[in-house]
Amino acid sequence: MRDEIYRFPIDGRPIRCDEIRSGHVNTTYLITTDAGARYILQDVNTYAFPKTYIIMDNIAAISRYLAERGGAKNAMISYIDTVDGERYFDDGKGGAWRVYRFVENSVCLDRASRDEDFHECARAFGAFQNSLCGFPAERLGETIEDFHNTPARYRQFREAVERDACGRLGGVREEVAFVLDREEKASQLQRMRDAGELPTRVTHNDTKINNVLFDADTRRAICVIDLDTVMPGLSAYDFGDAIRFGASTAAEDEKDLDKVGLDLHLFRVFARGFVEACPSLTEKEIACLPLGAYTMTLECGSRFLADYLKGDKYFSIEYPEHNLDRARTQLKLVRDMEEKWDEMCRIVGEETSHGKYWD
Ligand code: GN1
Ligand code: MG
């Protein structure tokens, strides 16, 4: 048993604790009590999130905002305060723990097994963003500084390359060059954000399909979870990260790169659902959705590769080359998006009846 659970007011006595091995950053447990209640206990990775209080303050602020509008239950998961009335339990040893009630009859999907799943995922993230479009995003703290600031990610990437802390650079020169060659296009979104051309919104920033809870029977989305990276951002980040993960023809760590590519049909399904659920998107934001997909994929590839070079400090791995395999799938996906760029733009145009913006 993880004793940290006793710091939370739960129904019954905990009798079972199972680790849930999904997610690359936090450690997650399912706790069952003798009263038949189930809870999710999470050990927040304080290497990735040194400022846990910012996460929990952000979540509290947006939960309050949504609750006042009667929408909290449908939009996102909410956490239970500790017995001392704190938002999380600081164990004094560098650990930060939090709990939410397990949503019964819910499932997480690692991939969409049919179009409707991905459409639901798109609607969940689109609705999340839309329901918060009136929230003053600048009131939220940055839970990880420069999280999707791609030029800043490039600086971190270069540092990892220059340091080559584990002597792994020799084996990945081709991948490194691929990333560096694309800095210009990868920096476009940030430049537009800096120039105030795109609205800063409250965004989720980690929109993998497995961050949505689905009803096990109806397969409708219940709510979005994993709110650690909710902070000010661009709509293109949420669209893009979801495409990167969910519209790929293969798993994020597929070794056979011939299997990896962008599924344009799923791209269309997601674009349709996202735009439907988020009518507050501006014309320019819509036009930037393909660029969001491209940028998030390249950025994520550079993060996996940088972590591989640093010795796998950030993402949890199951074998030594895991981060390298992940990086390679992302870069393959980027290449495929370059080939399918015109079609991506055309599809977004068709699904939203706005014209093509990027050439
Ligand atoms: C991490 O925690 P998880 O697995 O939902 C990461 C995302 C990456 C993703 C890649 C806080 O998400 O940014 O896109 O892995 N989260 C954080 O799978 O860094
Ligand atoms: Mg997650």
Side-chain angles (χ1 to χ4, degrees):
M1 185 51 59
R2 297 290 334 184
D3 288 345
E4 294 81 4
I5 192 66
Y6 293 109
R7 298 297 182 140
F8 294 85
I10 57 170
D11 296 338
R13 199 171 51 85
I15 49 172
R16 213 188 138 124
C17 174
D18 301 290
E19 186 171 345
I20 298 182
R21 304 186 70 80
S22 88
H24 304 336
V25 177
N26 297 324
T27 312
T28 306
Y29 304 92
L30 175 64
I31 306 280
T32 310
T33 76
D34 60 1
R38 298 205 281 174
Y39 296 89
I40 294 290
L41 169 70
Q42 259 190 331
D43 179 9
V44 179
N45 176 338
T46 46
Y47 174 82
F49 297 105
K51 297 176 183 164
T52 313
Y53 61 92
I54 299 185
I55 300 178
M56 300 313 279
D57 286 353
N58 283 354
I59 296 173
I62 60 172
S63 306
R64 210 177 311 120
Y65 176 88
L66 292 173
E68 282 163 15
R69 282 154 188 80
K73 283 208 174 60
N74 303 326
M76 55 183 256
I77 203 79
S78 49
Y79 292 94
I80 298 172
D81 284 352
T82 68
V83 287
D84 302 321
E86 303 290 341
R87 292 187 179 129
Y88 65 96
F89 168 54
D90 178 343
D91 66 11
K93 295 180 283 189
W97 299 81
R98 61 183 180 200
V99 167
Y100 65 82
R101 196 177 260 278
F102 181 78
V103 180
E104 294 299 338
N105 206 38
S106 66
V107 283
C108 274
L109 306 176
D110 278 320
R111 49 183 312 111
S113 53
R114 44 186 202 165
D115 290 356
E116 289 81 357
D117 294 341
F118 207 36
H119 186 252
E120 276 297 299
C121 168
R123 290 192 57 86
F125 285 119
F128 174 78
Q129 211 167 93
N130 200 57
S131 60
L132 288 162
C133 71
F135 184 96
E138 67 285 355
R139 274 203 216 142
L140 298 181
E142 269 195 293
T143 63
I144 296 179
E145 233 172 279
D146 291 328
F147 191 60
H148 284 319
N149 178 340
T150 314
R153 292 290 187 184
Y154 264 82
R155 286 195 286 280
Q156 295 162 10
F157 179 73
R158 252 191 232 97
E159 256 173 54
V161 170
E162 277 156 25
R163 198 160 293 164
D164 187 18
C166 303
R168 289 173 159 178
L169 180 61
V172 296
R173 287 200 192 279
E174 214 179 298
E175 289 81 359
V176 167
F178 182 97
V179 172
L180 293 178
D181 281 350
R182 284 155 177 81
E183 185 165 6
E184 168 62 24
K185 185 163 176 177
S187 304
Q188 269 178 16
L189 262 187
Q190 185 64 34
R191 275 203 301 276
M192 292 178 79
R193 185 175 175 184
D194 292 342
E197 291 174 33
L198 296 167
T200 298
R201 294 173 171 270
V202 177
T203 47
H204 182 283
N205 298 307
D206 186 5
T207 51
K208 301 198 282 197
I209 188 170
N210 61 16
N211 283 332
V212 174
L213 284 188
F214 287 80
D215 184 297
D217 297 325
T218 64
R219 283 288 258 270
R220 300 297 298 262
I222 301 173
C223 64
V224 307
I225 57 171
D226 196 351
L227 307 169
D228 301 336
T229 51
V230 170
M231 58 182 142
L234 300 179
S235 51
Y237 300 161
D238 280 2
F239 177 85
D241 195 56
I243 294 297
R244 169 193 85 69
F245 190 84
S248 170
T249 51
E252 195 179 60
D253 55 1
E254 173 60 54
K255 284 175 186 290
D256 180 356
L257 294 181
D258 288 341
K259 292 188 181 155
V260 183
L262 175 70
D263 182 327
L264 282 171
H265 175 68
L266 286 176
F267 179 83
R268 181 187 290 281
V269 166
F270 195 91
R272 183 176 300 171
F274 192 75
V275 174
E276 262 169 25
C278 193
S280 59
L281 290 175
T282 66
E283 204 166 314
K284 203 157 195 175
E285 282 182 292
I286 290 173
C288 284
L289 296 179
L291 186 59
Y294 182 87
T295 310
M296 291 299 99
T297 311
L298 188 46
E299 181 189 280
C300 194
S302 81
R303 292 174 63 200
F304 286 142
L305 193 51
D307 202 37
Y308 175 71
L309 289 170
K310 284 187 199 163
D312 312 302
K313 304 269 186 251
Y314 187 95
F315 297 106
S316 62
I317 51 165
E318 279 152 33
Y319 56 91
E321 311 278 284
H322 206 168
N323 272 321
L324 178 57
D325 286 343
R326 290 169 176 154
R328 285 182 170 147
T329 62
Q330 301 308 291
L331 303 186
K332 172 70 197 303
L333 202 47
V334 167
R335 190 179 286 287
D336 198 45
M337 286 182 188
E338 288 171 350
E339 276 162 27
K340 294 176 176 161
W341 184 249
D342 288 344
E343 283 164 279
M344 290 164 70
C345 295
R346 184 173 52 75
I347 289 170
V348 167
E350 282 168 8
E351 290 305 324
T352 60
S353 49
H354 289 281
K356 178 173 147 185
Y357 185 78
W358 291 101
D359 281 317

